Amino acid sequence: MQVFQRTREAFLSGRTRPLEFRLQQLHALQKMITEKETEISTALKQDINRSQYDTPLLELIGIENEIKLAIEKLSDWAAPRPVEKNLLTISDEVYVQPEPLGVVLIIGAWNYPWSLTLQPLVGAIAAGNAAVVKPSELSECSSLLLRALLPRYVDKDLYPVVAGGVQETQELLRLRFDHVFYTGSSRVGKLVMEAAAHHLTPVTLELGGKSPCYIDKNSDVRIACRRVTWGKFVNCGQTCIAPDYILCEPCIQGQVVECIRQTLLEFYGADPKCSPDYGRIINQRHFNRILSLMEGYTPVVGGQSDSSQCYIAPTVLKDVPPHSRLMQEEIFGPVLPIVTVSDMDDAISFINEREKPLALYVFCSDKKAIKRMIEETTSGGVTVNDVMMHYTLSSLPFGGVGQSGVGCYHGKHTFDRLSHHRACLVRSLNMESVNLARYPPQDRRMSLHVTHTLLLHTDT
Amino acid sequence: MVCVEQPSAGERMNTHSEVVDRLRGAFQSGVTIPEEFRRTQLTMLRSMISDNEERILKALHQDLAKPKFEAILSEVEIVMNELHHAIANLSHWMKPDYVSKNLATKLDDCFVRREPLGVVLVIGPWNYPLQLLILPMVGAIAAGNCVIIKPSEVSFATECLIADLIPKYLPQDCYTVVRGGSEETKALLQNRFDHIFYTGSQTVARSIVQAASVHLTPVTLELGGKCPCLLYGRLNIVAAAHRLVWSKFFNAGQSCVAPDYVLCSTATRDALIPALKDVLESFYTTEPQKCPDVSRIVSLRHWTRLVELLGKTRGRIVLGGEHDQEDKYIAPTVVVDVAEDDALMAEEIFGPILPIITIESVEKSIAFVNRKEKPLALYVFSDESSVVKMVMENTSSGGFCSNDGIVHMTLPGLPFGGVGGSGWGNYHGRWGFETFSHRRACMLRGWALERLNGLRYPPYSEEKLKWLRWTTSAKNSCSMM
């Protein structure tokens, strides 16, 4: 592909190596976000009916903060990192030098089309790579806008935007990148990894799964439900770290339903369809998919839908059987099942019987119980007594484990993920006598061996 | 020591699934999680090595005619060192990392926990059959995983020994040795692992990643390639020759980080060859085949491959060249006048043959190196630090060492791994522990400040947004309240 050739040549020219260049590109990216916020909001409204307030909240502020952090810390991140020496290497320089990988492919997703393409791009630029950006075709307006905007601000040869659907992505994956960064479904993640295997290209896969949310009966159920309601229904449930389903004991199920109902009223009014703050499903296919998951169940809250608008009301279902369709796949929509468990142990078993999720949420006031829940389960990340917030702190690595993903990013973690950590030992040709102990023939070595061993194995 | 007859392929597939299930059950029971348990296993491994040093040396000698000294240095000591290091640092590695917070999370507990992945597979190669199997195992065990251990069948004596020893020192339910060749490995890879650690060739690596992608299993690939060795600028040729010969001909050149070929000017080459001759004689005498410090090629297949390369090369053999099929012996050999498209430059040599390519300038050498795959290691010999710096900054490789060879991989503080065609991921020391761990981000919040949370809830307003922007404009702030 021509674009790829040009990008590789641009990388090989060496212009991404100086930190000044990388900083300049990051500043330009910052400028784009600041100057074009209105256009970006409009595109998102057309793509997914995102409210104009949700856009800065959910995407732009996050990108801006990543850029600011990268600009501030770049010289620290890119500097050689000294490591422990031993007596044998005491006069040597021993360090790890982060280096760019080359040309990175970033495949974005449609649910947060700006942050899920630009946050990895920030790290790619900071690490000195070139990057081919492939936004999702499902968020069409955003994709078109990004294609128009990015080349006007950053180096268009180093960071081109490529449009297209499944076929174009498959063609891209046939090319040899130095890293492929994919955000999307586990199903496609497998295909991406398989395609990358041909060139032995390392990958980062930010996937999904069903993120469980356990509400303990002795917690502050009202506050828990407010936080869960926010996290579940923002972006109409189309968030990889949204609480997918609730686990709680039967004795509080009724209270949970009521609290959610009241919170929904407070957030979106009596008819969420009329609320400017409530989103829509991205397209007909996903709309149908989500509705079909609910077939045969009567919701206790919501349930209304309007296919002409891809509108599904915020919906809650109770007493959902663990083997129902609702519990088999990631919902990725505004439908919240409640599954009852007999106690926390039961909740832990339930979670561990299933694939490792991207996020785990626990609402509980007992420190010991929280500790046990964390220690006896695993997940990409955890937020206790809130939802999704671990995503927002850039010093925490964000990523999955098992089916929910490979690798992690955010802040310095993106820089590290998209760098090669080159082990460097800089010696001099002096002090050759020390080396005599390791050379043949044996009899000379054996006598000096003891000294050599001591020098080799003593850490300073 | 008796080597047991292997079961049939069909039997093996069932056996593999049973083994994986058994280890998964053990992992889920939580037995490998406590620090004490992990420390005990590492201590037992240490005893396994020290109790059986003689047997280990004997097996390595059977497989590769490994000289006792080389075996002690590159198989026993390096493993013991890694074990000491892991035992000493395990507590520290297992502690959660508390991370820097921002305004919004000031009252929260924010940390990263290291968690085991589950059941991991470690596949070892034949050239350092003990080191390259046990060193990854150390990281996997320290990280709290169960491990399926697959030694190379090519280094048969060592394979038998490992299969005999491991069950005597480590609990079978958590750490099992699986034996066999490529068919058995393919069958083993049908199972679902939580991480696969492979050391070997690119071709096999591709099929491993393909098998891993079915289950989204993360992998670490320690591959090879042609490690270039550049000699430029002012240089102490005698010291350089010593270090070059040592690193090239150690283990008869069968090291993934051995300098594969040399790049230097004609003048340097002319000074280098007599220096190499002197060093070779001082190390291996004038009759290397009789010298106990010279290793052998691991198998007839590899011996034939190398001898064919010597036949096909259009270069000129200036030192060595002798070979003996029955003994699987090839003399330490140096070849000059080698062109870029010579047979010796087509693939990783992995043997005691050192081509010297003459390129007058270091800049042209750098361009030469950059036309090829990124190597596992890159070496430069020079007394001029500007030359060293130029080579380092204008190339990429897994690791880099100036004025010596191989030793950079003996430091547990440095990550050992490749980049591009030479591999993916790394290990040694803490890096091994991290490779086999999941870093789980944890944020523990309280019930307070619900009013502050209100800033992020609908119904939205310009007012709320203004507040949000103000609070998040502080340094290192987070994206949303």
Side-chain angles (χ1 to χ4, degrees), chain A residues 227 378 386 395 423 432 438, chain B residues 100 115 243 400 404 450:
Chain A
R227 298 177 181 187
T378 187
D386 208 335
S395 52
E432 184 57 7
R438 72 187 203 215
Chain B
S100 60
E115 301 183 343
R243 297 174 189 195
F400 175 90
D404 213 329
E450 184 56 12

Side-chain angles (χ1 to χ4, degrees), chain A residues 241-353:
Chain A
I241 44 169
D244 188 279
Y245 62 98
I246 291 177
L247 290 172
C248 68
E249 289 183 42
C251 54
I252 56 162
Q253 193 178 203
Q255 193 192 357
V256 167
V257 170
E258 263 326 290
C259 290
I260 295 176
R261 189 200 306 279
Q262 291 202 7
T263 310
L264 283 170
L265 205 59
E266 188 195 318
F267 286 1
Y268 305 115
D271 187 7
K273 202 173 178 190
C274 304
S275 163
D277 300 332
Y278 188 70
R280 296 292 183 268
I281 305 304
I282 183 83
N283 63 21
Q284 220 30 252
R285 182 169 74 83
H286 280 283
F287 173 85
N288 293 336
R289 177 187 66 79
I290 298 164
L291 280 186
S292 75
L293 287 177
M294 287 199 284
E295 255 165 44
Y297 296 101
T298 312
V300 289
V301 177
Q304 303 86 352
S305 61
D306 178 349
S307 88
S308 69
Q309 281 192 35
C310 284
Y311 166 78
I312 299 178
T315 301
V316 182
L317 298 103
K318 61 179 233 185
D319 293 316
V320 176
H323 302 295
S324 58
R325 269 199 70 195
L326 263 173
M327 290 306 292
Q328 298 313 308
E329 61 179 80
E330 188 175 357
I331 294 167
F332 224 68
V335 173
L336 180 55
I338 305 176
V339 177
T340 52
V341 286
S342 51
D343 54 22
M344 187 183 250
D345 278 324
D346 194 18
I348 290 174
S349 307
F350 190 97
I351 293 166
N352 287 342
E353 276 162 20

Side-chain angles (χ1 to χ4, degrees), chain B residues 73-111:
Chain B
L73 192 65
S74 67
E75 301 258 28
V76 177
E77 275 183 9
I78 195 170
V79 171
M80 293 298 273
N81 199 29
E82 183 82 6
L83 283 163
H84 289 310
H85 186 81
I87 291 167
N89 290 287
L90 185 61
S91 285
H92 176 61
W93 292 348
M94 284 179 68
K95 285 197 168 64
D97 269 341
Y98 282 84
V99 300
S100 60
K101 298 187 282 194
N102 55 41
L103 202 61
T105 48
K106 265 286 177 292
L107 299 177
D108 306 325
D109 260 344
C110 301
F111 57 92

Side-chain angles (χ1 to χ4, degrees), chain A residues 3 6-7 131-134 150 155-162:
Chain A
V3 169
R6 234 191 352 258
T7 310
V132 172
V133 179
K134 160 73 190 71
L150 204 62
D155 186 310
K156 63 176 173 32
D157 287 328
L158 284 169
Y159 318 109
V161 181
V162 171

